[in-house]
Amino acid sequence: MKFKLQHIVAAMAVATTLVSCNNDDDTTAVSGTGDAEIFFDNSVNGDDLLLNTSAYTNSNGESLKINRLNYIVSNFVLIAEDGTEVVYPKENSYFIINEGANSTTVHLEGMPAGNYTKVRFGLGVDQQRYLQGETAQQSFWDLAAASELTWTWSTGYKFINFEGTFTSPQTDGEKTFQVHQGSNTATDNYREITLTLPNTARVRTDETPSIHLIADANVILDGATKIRLFDALNTANTGAAIMGGQGLIDIANNTLSMFKVDHVHNGAGDHHEE
């Protein structure tokens, strides 16, 4: 009996130590700053996006071969487990995701160390930033122009440039398509997306979390609102273009469900690099 009692006491002591250590890990304050990265993994309805290669069929029966997917993400906010929102500096918070140039990772530098459970970001450029004028954003405007994400300055940015060819049950042969989505004088098509992380992203001075997002390009036309490219064919019946009107509003609302979190990797290395 004495032997068993000694083992029980020892086991309880170990358990108490483990609980104490876990509590220390949960409650110990962190300080300093660190970095975080957000990787945008472009896909089409669950399949990897392969430019100029694969054909992807949507629920409208239209088969798309995609040769361009570029878009602007902006205004990043990390939300801590206690609800505190850490806003990345606005002047540095605009990024180009360019599948063709393998530019798919956003690096957030100098974020306060902490445990983060949500991320929020915008798709496109908000009106507040645009109205600051060309001089205030010339360097980003030039980057966007290099990725075919601008019209003229007076008409602004393309938030999404989505292009390729398609076939449809209603068409004879392959046609081109262009989807250039952005704000215009009639509507503000900038949208913000908030995503809950499946596990905590730990920002530390020596630990950089990588938040891996899946971006589903299929949702652009095949989301809550179904948009047929066939309906946007030009009079020559050679191609479809969606660059204005109700289509842009529908696309903006579709993109609210375009992104989801696949996983969060915490660690000092083994991250996605450009």
Side-chain angles (χ1 to χ4, degrees):
M1 184 67 179
K2 181 179 180 182
F3 176 80
K4 291 183 178 179
L5 182 60
Q6 288 174 335
H7 278 70
I8 292 171
V9 172
M12 290 176 64
V14 170
T16 301
T17 301
L18 290 175
V19 170
S20 177
C21 288
N22 287 336
N23 287 340
D24 287 344
D25 289 342
D26 291 340
T27 60
T28 299
V30 293
S31 60
T33 61
D35 300 340
E37 65 176 29
I38 303 172
F39 173 62
F40 289 80
D41 187 357
N42 295 315
S43 67
V44 184
N45 200 23
D47 295 324
D48 288 339
L49 171 57
L50 301 174
L51 296 180
N52 305 304
T53 303
S54 298
Y56 306 93
T57 302
N58 61 29
S59 67
N60 292 322
E62 294 180 330
S63 181
L64 281 63
K65 186 178 290 185
I66 301 163
N67 60 38
R68 175 175 288 153
L69 178 63
N70 301 342
Y71 50 94
I72 297 171
V73 288
S74 60
N75 294 318
F76 281 83
V77 179
L78 293 183
I79 303 173
E81 53 193 356
D82 65 357
T84 300
E85 297 191 354
V86 178
V87 180
Y88 198 64
K90 188 174 184 64
E91 62 273 16
N92 300 321
S93 199
Y94 295 83
F95 304 88
I96 304 295
I97 303 299
N98 184 327
E99 178 68 21
N102 196 30
S103 176
T104 53
T105 303
V106 168
H107 297 274
L108 305 179
E109 301 176 345
M111 301 297 286
N115 299 324
Y116 296 97
T117 58
K118 294 181 181 180
V119 60
R120 183 169 69 241
F121 61 92
L123 183 58
V125 176
D126 56 289
Q127 285 292 302
Q128 180 187 25
R129 180 60 170 169
Y130 176 67
L131 292 174
Q132 288 177 343
E134 188 172 1
T135 301
Q137 51 197 298
Q138 186 65 58
S139 59
F140 181 74
W141 176 266
D142 292 342
L143 286 174
S147 289
E148 304 291 337
L149 285 168
T150 59
W151 285 297
T152 63
W153 176 253
S154 61
T155 47
Y157 293 93
K158 301 173 189 176
F159 300 168
I160 300 172
N161 188 331
F162 182 47
E163 298 181 350
T165 59
F166 78 103
T167 59
S168 167
Q170 295 84 14
T171 61
D172 178 19
E174 192 173 64
K175 313 295 181 182
T176 62
F177 76 85
Q178 295 178 307
V179 176
H180 296 170
Q181 194 268 358
S183 290
N184 52 42
T185 54
T187 58
D188 180 2
N189 292 315
Y190 169 80
R191 295 293 185 272
E192 288 193 337
I193 297 102
T194 301
L195 301 172
T196 299
L197 308 181
N199 58 284
T200 300
R202 294 165 47 89
V203 174
R204 302 289 189 271
T205 57
D206 59 350
E207 193 171 350
T208 300
S210 180
I211 301 170
H212 185 125
L213 304 186
I214 303 293
D216 185 2
N218 185 63
V219 169
I220 295 171
L221 298 175
D222 197 15
T225 300
K226 310 300 180 184
I227 302 169
R228 294 198 310 176
L229 291 169
F230 171 75
D231 295 333
L233 278 172
N234 57 29
T235 54
N237 199 37
T238 58
I242 301 173
M243 300 184 185
Q246 184 62 39
L248 298 194
I249 300 172
D250 292 337
I251 288 168
N253 293 332
N254 280 350
T255 58
L256 290 172
S257 60
M258 181 175 170
F259 303 91
K260 67 178 182 180
V261 185
D262 185 70
H263 65 271
V264 177
H265 173 82
N266 287 299
D270 194 28
H271 300 319
H272 301 281
E273 297 294 340
E274 301 289 279

